[in-house]
Amino acid sequence: MIVVVMGVSGSGKTTVGTMLSERLQFRFAEGDDFHPRGNISKMASGIALNDMDRWPWLDSIACEMKMAKAQGENLVVACSALKKIYRQRLMAKSGCELHLVLLNGDRDDIFHRMSTREDHFMSPKLLDSQLATLEQPDDDEGNVSIIEINNRTPEDIVSLIVKALDTALPKRSEGVTNK
């Protein structure tokens, strides 16, 4: 199973994705780690990425998904996946069925999160650009869960995601962990 925890920068993808992967005993992949250095420099300078910047990044993430699937490994990926065409590319290039989890929240709350975090390259100035780019997932994209994050702890958000994924989660037998 491949779960994509998606949303704008500052929505909690990394925190929630890490906690979710630990709870489900899945491997975690941080989408930001797949960005070329040029993308990180642009975002740190407050310059929004364009589609041409994103294609190689998305292809690298899709390759990671494809490898996980080939190895029979379950994976949680934190990836903004803001546009439908980006999610379609991830699915097409990876050959994987994806479980999309959108962390949806209020602009002001997310801006506050972005403004108070340390050691992250993404400029809070880009939040409005990300919100304008975000296309909420449609039912025709497969397994989609939209999780409202306002006034919720990361633990509460993870519990909501696990509940939403419950029917799709690999079943575990006593003493056996599926990968």
Side-chain angles (χ1 to χ4, degrees):
M1 172 185 280
I2 309 288
V3 179
V4 178
V5 179
M6 58 170 286
V8 298
S9 183
S11 62
K13 296 181 300 291
T14 300
T15 300
V16 169
T18 300
M19 292 173 66
L20 180 65
S21 70
E22 290 170 1
R23 177 131 166 221
L24 298 177
Q25 298 178 348
F26 286 14
R27 186 166 64 82
F28 177 72
E30 169 56 68
D32 287 343
D33 293 343
F34 295 88
H35 273 297
R37 188 174 307 275
N39 284 6
I40 291 172
S41 295
K42 276 182 136 177
M43 291 183 284
S45 298
I47 301 168
L49 300 180
N50 60 41
D51 288 350
M52 295 306 293
D53 296 321
R54 288 188 177 101
W55 298 136
W57 169 66
L58 291 166
D59 292 348
S60 294
I61 294 170
C63 183
E64 186 73 12
M65 293 172 173
K66 189 174 191 171
M67 277 191 334
K69 180 181 175 184
Q71 295 170 356
E73 193 174 36
N74 294 309
L75 182 65
V76 173
V77 179
C79 174
S80 55
L82 297 175
K83 290 183 180 180
K84 184 174 185 172
I85 194 168
Y86 302 161
R87 299 184 292 271
Q88 290 171 330
R89 187 169 183 121
L90 287 171
M91 287 184 245
K93 293 277 186 171
S94 70
C96 296
E97 177 183 353
L98 305 180
H99 297 266
L100 303 173
V101 178
L102 172 63
L103 301 182
N104 197 47
D106 177 72
R107 183 244 181 244
D108 292 337
D109 288 345
I110 294 171
F111 185 83
H112 177 73
R113 289 178 189 210
M114 290 180 78
S115 299
T116 58
R117 65 184 177 178
E118 297 176 11
D119 299 326
H120 196 279
F121 60 84
M122 181 65 126
S123 170
K125 293 186 288 185
L126 292 175
L127 177 58
D128 291 328
S129 169
Q130 289 220 323
L131 288 167
T133 302
L134 177 64
E135 298 171 359
Q136 296 232 352
D138 297 323
D139 290 339
D140 70 346
E141 292 183 67
N143 302 299
V144 174
S145 299
I146 298 175
I147 306 295
E148 297 299 328
I149 62 172
N150 294 333
N151 303 313
R152 290 199 166 111
T153 66
E155 293 82 6
D156 291 340
I157 295 166
V158 168
S159 293
L160 288 170
I161 295 169
V162 169
K163 185 176 180 181
L165 294 173
D166 187 49
T167 57
L169 286 171
K171 303 304 176 215
R172 302 178 194 279
S173 300
E174 187 175 345
V176 176
T177 301
N178 293 338
K179 283 197 169 187

